[in-house]
């Protein structure tokens, strides 16, 4: 056999071996192929042919992973025309022969350089032709010789000449890296891989912007690959969730009897829903309860304006949060059609999977400190980026997480970013391993004042007349004894003083009533205070806005007893309420620091009684202080544009 024949035989053997290896890795790798729903029709050229032809771009180092995407596309649409740009040299021809079994055509050519003809002009003309014929045209914009991850000008020209959209693709897989100019990634069999397609881009678009989108998607794919594997802590959490399913079902029924769940929506807690998913990209925002829900309300219309093609899924954990969203939708006009509300499912693997299978969100934004390990892991595995809005992590919580850092570190590394409410919170998240932490201020400062039923307010004002009212808002167990003792002392000088206690958990209404020296009317029973009553227990949900508007002055609960934590002061500040707090308000330390000198700190029963007497004795002087507090937070009411930009990167 001649030397030439031997060379050809060796080349054919090498090609057959390479094909067999690539085929093995593609078939045995567990691929996650997902991305922007708006790009899905363009990638598969749906039968309605609303948009023929599409350009896809991925870095040259991911070249050996792209056949997996072609195989995925051909499974869904067997007659799909896919063409790839290859370099006009021996390596390019080898690649062309290598990918042929996956029904991928090729065009030879690359950017002309230094006056040297490399077939770029001819290849551009051929690419325009196949695109205009409805093909998917794949290109590695940093090929054939780099520099790596630098977009060459040809792709801009191709977009401009054809008017076709570009879909960027980020890829990562289990494998090894060759010492080539592009650091080519070679998949290993029986591994895992991610192919993520971003939102469509249209001309004109700068090479720098294309590169930025490719780098974002590639980084996301690498993160999913490295952090999507369940560790020991993840497995223990999943096992615990599965084991607790019977107890969770029982707890749901108990909560239902107590008015904390809705019978017709109980399946939502298990990830089931009768709501049809809209055919649009979905941005998912989770707000646990009342305060968190109020904090994201100003954000929703701004996001809707910046992302006109998106639908917004709002989840909450409480009935009161659901009621706030229902009222918001009723007042939102045309925006209401782009809003859906669901109760968040409990963090059980099957229930979370069921929820994500149905809604398929593009991104998740959690509010405050709602960190559910199973949910965040499930999102990471599906390449759903997760961000934290108004990130809150008190010193006490941070210290607890620090003790478990060996096991919980992946939880924080899986977060794409945290928008911390203050510098202290930011430092806590950074210490726990979050990759991108930024401080945008407290979103609760931007929240609107809590709502009120105006007719109910008018009726109660008329009923109470000029009677002075002290409000203890969002109280916790062991605080009511201090409050009742203080108000008893204050009534020596203010005999007609009415005390309203709003427990954080309304179920405690009967327990608080038992502490009173005489029978006290309860809001949950439809009772209102008469002239002889000194105490009114407001044990209902979602009415704090009503009682803030009724009171002369108010104490924010969960702050009188250690460890406490406090509650959000910005809601009453927006209503010009004269405020006091106990000393244990670490969860909102930054907010109270901002309001320093304008919110009184109370340390005990006698001090609280003295403060009530002083305020009611000269309420107008104290009202000036309340108005100063309102003015202090007003200049910072706008949503930071940098936060909106960061959220936008999750939607690419």
């Amino acid at each position: 056999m001649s030397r030439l024949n031997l060379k050809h035989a060796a080349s054919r053997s090498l090609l057959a071996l390479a094909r067999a290896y690539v085929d093995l890795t593609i078939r045995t790798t567990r691929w996650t192929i997902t991305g922007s729903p708006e790009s899905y029709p363009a990638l598969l050229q749906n039968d309605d042919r609303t948009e023929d032809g599409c350009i896809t771009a991925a870095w040259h180092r991911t070249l050996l992973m792209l056949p997996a995407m072609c195989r995925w596309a051909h499974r869904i649409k067997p007659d799909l025309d896919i063409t790839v740009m290859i370099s006009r040299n021996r390596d390019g021809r080898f690649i062309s022969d290598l990918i042929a079994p996956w029904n991928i055509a090729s065009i030879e050519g690359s950017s002309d350089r230094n006056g040297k003809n490399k077939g770029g002009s001819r290849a551009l003309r051929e690419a325009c032709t196949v695109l205009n014929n409805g093909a998917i045209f794949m290109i590695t914009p940093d090929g054939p010789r780099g520099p790596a991850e630098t977009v060459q000008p040809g792709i801009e020209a191709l977009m401009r000449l054809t008017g076709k959209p570009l879909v960027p693709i980020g890829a990562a897989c289990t494998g090894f890296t060759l010492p080539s100019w592009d650091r080519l990634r070679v998949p290993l069999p029986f591994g895992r891989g991610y192919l993520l397609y971003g939102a469509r881009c249209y001309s004109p678009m700068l090479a720098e912007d294309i590169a930025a989108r490719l780098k974002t998607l590639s980084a996301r794919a690498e993160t999913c690959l490295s952090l999507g594997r369940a560790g020991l802590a993840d497995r223990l959490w999943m096992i615990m969730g599965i084991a607790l399913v019977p107890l969770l079902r029982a707890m749901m029924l108990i909560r239902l009897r107590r008015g904390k769940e809705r019978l017709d929506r109980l399946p939502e807690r298990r990830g089931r829903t009768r709501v049809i998913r809209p055919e649009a990209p979905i941005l998912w925002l989770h707000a646990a309860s009342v305060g968190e829900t109020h904090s994201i309300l100003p954000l929703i219309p701004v996001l809707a304006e910046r992302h006109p093609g998106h639908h917004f899924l709002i989840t909450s954990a409480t009935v009161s949060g659901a009621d706030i969203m229902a009222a918001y939708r009723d007042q939102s006009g045309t925006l209401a059609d782009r809003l859906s509300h669901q109760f968040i499912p409990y963090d059980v693997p099957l229930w979370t999977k069921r929820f994500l299978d149905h809604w398929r969100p593009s991104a998740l934004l959690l509010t405050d400190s709602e960190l559910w390990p199973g949910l965040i892991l499930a999102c990471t595995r599906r390449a759903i980026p997760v961000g934290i809005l108004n990130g809150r992590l008190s010193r006490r919580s941070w210290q607890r997480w620090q003790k478990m850092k060996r096991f919980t570190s992946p939880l924080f590394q899986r977060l794409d970013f945290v928008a911390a409410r203050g510098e202290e919170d930011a430092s806590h998240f950074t210490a726990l391993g979050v990759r991108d932490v930024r401080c945008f201020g407290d979103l609760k400062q931007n929240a609107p004042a809590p709502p009120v039923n105006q007719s109910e307010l008018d009726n109660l004002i008329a009923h109470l007349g000029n009677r002075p009212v002290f409000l203890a808002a969002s109280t916790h167990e062991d605080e009511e004894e201090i409050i009742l003792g203080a108000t008893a002392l204050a009534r020596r000088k203010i005999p007609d003083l009415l005390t309203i206690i709003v427990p954080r958990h309304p179920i405690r209404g009967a327990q608080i009533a038992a502490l009173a020296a005489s029978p006290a009317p309860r809001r949950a029973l439809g009772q209102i205070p008469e002239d002889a009553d000194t105490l009114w227990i407001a044990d209902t949900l979602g009415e704090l806005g009503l009682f803030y508007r009724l009171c002369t002055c108010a104490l924010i609960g969960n702050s009188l007893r250690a460890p406490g934590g406090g509650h959000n002061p910005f809601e009453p500040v927006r209503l010009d309420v004269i405020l006091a707090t106990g000393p244990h308000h670490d969860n909102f330390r930054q907010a109270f620091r901002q309001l320093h000198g304008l919110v009184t700190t109370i340390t005990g029963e006698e001090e609280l009684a003295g403060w009530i007497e002083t305020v009611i004795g000269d309420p107008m002087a104290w009202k000036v202080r309340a108005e100063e507090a309102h003015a202090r937070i007003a200049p910072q009411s706008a949503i930071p544009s940098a936060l909106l930009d960061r959220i936008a990167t999750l939607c690419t």
Side-chain angles (χ1 to χ4, degrees):
M1 185 180 290
S2 68
R3 180 177 298 178
L4 185 60
N5 288 337
L6 284 172
K7 188 174 181 180
H8 283 314
S11 296
R12 286 195 298 272
S13 298
L14 179 61
L15 178 62
L17 184 63
R19 281 178 178 171
Y21 182 81
V22 172
D23 185 63
L24 175 66
T25 58
I26 289 174
R27 290 179 182 276
T28 61
T29 296
R30 290 170 291 164
W31 294 101
T32 298
I33 302 176
T34 186
S36 173
E38 68 175 276
S39 294
Y40 186 85
L43 285 173
L44 297 174
Q45 295 297 283
N46 281 355
D47 291 334
D48 58 10
R49 292 289 176 179
T50 55
E51 191 176 69
D52 288 349
C54 172
I55 307 165
T56 64
W59 295 131
H60 199 276
R61 62 182 171 84
T62 66
L63 200 58
L64 295 181
M65 304 179 219
L66 298 183
M69 193 157 199
C70 297
R71 180 170 176 262
W72 164 79
H74 279 136
R75 277 185 165 181
I76 301 170
K77 191 174 179 65
D79 62 342
L80 190 64
D81 183 4
I82 300 177
T83 303
V84 64
M85 174 80 81
I86 61 170
S87 56
R88 195 174 66 172
N89 54 33
R90 185 176 62 184
D91 290 344
R93 285 188 289 274
F94 180 83
I95 291 172
S96 178
D97 292 336
L98 176 66
I99 62 178
W102 289 277
N103 196 20
I104 305 171
S106 60
I107 293 175
E108 291 187 8
S110 53
S111 301
D112 299 335
R113 295 185 185 178
N114 302 322
K116 186 175 181 180
N117 181 11
K118 301 178 75 67
S121 300
R122 180 183 57 80
L124 186 61
R125 289 194 298 272
E126 291 184 21
C128 290
T129 300
V130 299
L131 278 166
N132 289 328
N133 288 335
I136 302 296
F137 188 71
M138 306 184 78
I139 189 169
T140 53
D142 56 342
R145 290 291 179 185
E149 300 193 5
T150 298
V151 173
Q152 302 301 322
I155 194 168
E156 295 177 72
L158 189 60
M159 293 176 68
R160 186 178 66 254
L161 291 171
T162 63
K164 304 301 181 184
L166 168 73
V167 177
I169 297 173
C173 70
T174 306
F176 60 93
T177 302
L178 296 180
S180 54
W181 67 269
D182 59 349
R183 306 289 293 168
L184 184 69
R185 188 70 174 171
V186 180
L188 285 172
F190 305 101
R192 293 179 301 128
Y194 285 86
L195 288 159
L196 312 181
Y197 47 89
R200 289 172 293 182
C201 314
Y202 290 88
S203 182
M205 191 171 190
L206 298 175
E208 293 81 1
D209 295 329
I210 297 172
R213 296 206 177 197
L214 285 170
K215 288 177 181 178
T216 297
L217 286 167
S218 298
R220 191 173 297 162
E222 293 287 354
T223 299
C224 294
L225 181 67
S226 61
L227 296 173
R229 187 185 299 277
L232 176 60
D234 298 309
R235 295 182 187 279
L236 291 174
W237 182 264
M238 287 188 282
I239 291 169
M240 184 174 68
I242 294 169
L244 290 176
V245 164
L247 291 178
L248 289 173
R249 288 179 179 272
M251 184 181 74
M252 282 187 272
L253 295 176
I254 294 171
R255 287 173 56 85
L256 181 64
R257 286 198 295 270
R258 294 176 175 176
K260 293 186 176 183
E261 300 285 356
R262 299 272 167 80
L263 179 61
D264 59 327
R265 300 185 62 180
L266 209 56
E268 293 176 18
R269 292 298 206 172
R270 304 190 300 275
R272 299 186 186 277
T273 183
R274 282 178 277 185
V275 179
I276 298 173
R277 185 196 188 280
E279 292 299 324
I282 289 180
L283 180 58
W284 174 17
L285 296 95
H286 174 63
S289 190
V290 175
E292 293 79 16
T293 304
H294 276 302
S295 72
I296 65 170
L297 293 184
L299 190 62
I300 293 173
V302 181
L303 289 174
E305 183 178 354
R306 288 192 57 145
H307 305 278
H310 276 65
H311 192 94
F312 299 90
L313 171 64
I314 316 298
T315 57
S316 63
T318 64
V319 170
S320 51
D323 291 340
I324 291 170
M325 280 309 305
Y328 181 77
R329 285 194 68 195
D330 291 341
Q331 302 166 7
S332 296
T334 57
L335 178 57
D337 295 333
R338 296 168 60 191
L339 298 176
S340 296
H341 176 270
Q342 294 280 281
F343 287 108
I344 192 167
Y346 288 107
D347 202 14
V348 174
L350 176 61
W351 298 351
T352 299
K353 177 182 182 300
R354 193 181 286 154
F355 180 91
L356 294 176
D357 284 347
H358 177 79
W359 288 104
R360 306 188 310 279
S362 299
L364 166 60
L365 296 172
L366 300 167
T367 310
D368 272 22
S369 55
E370 283 284 296
L371 299 174
W372 293 103
L375 175 63
I376 293 173
L377 174 61
C379 287
T380 301
R381 286 178 161 177
R382 292 169 182 249
I384 300 169
V386 180
I388 302 286
L389 299 176
N390 213 50
R392 173 169 65 87
L393 207 59
S394 67
R395 181 180 297 276
R396 190 169 68 252
S397 297
W398 171 65
Q399 289 171 343
R400 285 200 299 264
W401 283 112
Q402 278 282 70
K403 292 176 182 177
M404 301 183 291
K405 188 175 180 180
R406 178 182 174 186
F407 301 101
T408 61
S409 181
L411 169 65
F412 292 92
Q413 293 173 6
R414 288 170 185 144
L415 300 175
D416 279 67
F417 81 95
V418 169
R421 62 174 185 170
E423 295 296 341
E424 184 179 46
D425 299 286
S427 65
H428 291 165
F429 279 108
T430 300
L432 289 170
V434 179
R435 291 168 286 128
D436 183 5
V437 181
R438 309 184 189 192
C439 187
F440 293 114
D442 196 334
L443 284 183
K444 290 185 177 179
Q445 182 172 322
N446 307 323
V452 68
N453 182 320
Q454 190 60 46
S455 62
E456 185 70 11
L457 176 62
D458 293 341
N459 290 337
L460 285 171
I461 289 175
H463 180 76
L464 295 176
N466 295 321
R467 191 173 180 183
V469 177
F470 165 68
L471 170 67
S474 299
T475 61
H476 287 236
E477 197 163 1
D478 294 335
E479 290 188 309
E480 288 84 10
E481 294 93 333
I482 298 175
I483 292 162
L484 292 174
T487 53
L489 292 175
R491 279 197 304 275
R492 294 175 182 176
K493 293 186 178 179
I494 315 168
D496 60 342
L497 175 68
L498 173 65
T499 300
I500 302 177
I501 294 181
V502 182
R504 178 67 171 179
H505 306 290
I507 194 174
R508 296 182 53 246
Q511 175 188 340
I512 298 169
L515 298 174
S518 58
R522 291 174 54 195
R523 177 74 169 168
L525 301 179
Q527 301 165 343
I528 60 174
E530 302 300 336
D531 291 344
D533 293 315
T534 59
L535 173 65
W536 188 20
I537 301 169
D539 48 349
T540 54
L541 285 169
E543 290 194 302
L544 195 51
L546 171 66
F547 302 114
Y548 274 135
R549 289 171 171 88
L550 280 176
C551 72
T552 312
C553 57
L555 169 80
I556 297 176
N558 195 30
S559 60
L560 290 173
R561 296 278 196 187
H567 285 298
N568 171 29
F570 292 132
E571 289 184 352
V573 164
R574 287 199 175 279
L575 294 172
D576 294 334
V577 176
I578 302 167
L579 280 182
T581 179
H584 306 290
H585 51 250
D586 283 358
N587 289 348
F588 294 87
R589 184 186 306 173
Q590 181 66 31
F592 284 107
R593 187 178 296 148
Q594 185 177 340
L595 297 169
H596 179 71
L598 302 175
V599 177
T600 305
T601 300
I602 301 296
T603 58
E605 185 177 297
E606 291 186 4
E607 194 171 343
L608 177 58
W611 178 76
I612 295 171
E613 293 168 7
T614 304
V615 171
I616 292 176
D618 189 6
M620 295 309 298
W622 286 83
K623 202 67 177 177
V624 171
R625 183 181 294 193
E627 291 168 355
E628 287 180 19
H630 192 165
R632 188 172 292 183
I633 68 169
Q636 302 180 32
S637 60
I639 304 293
S641 59
L643 173 59
L644 298 173
D645 292 340
R646 187 63 183 89
I647 293 172
T649 64
L650 302 187
C651 303
T652 57

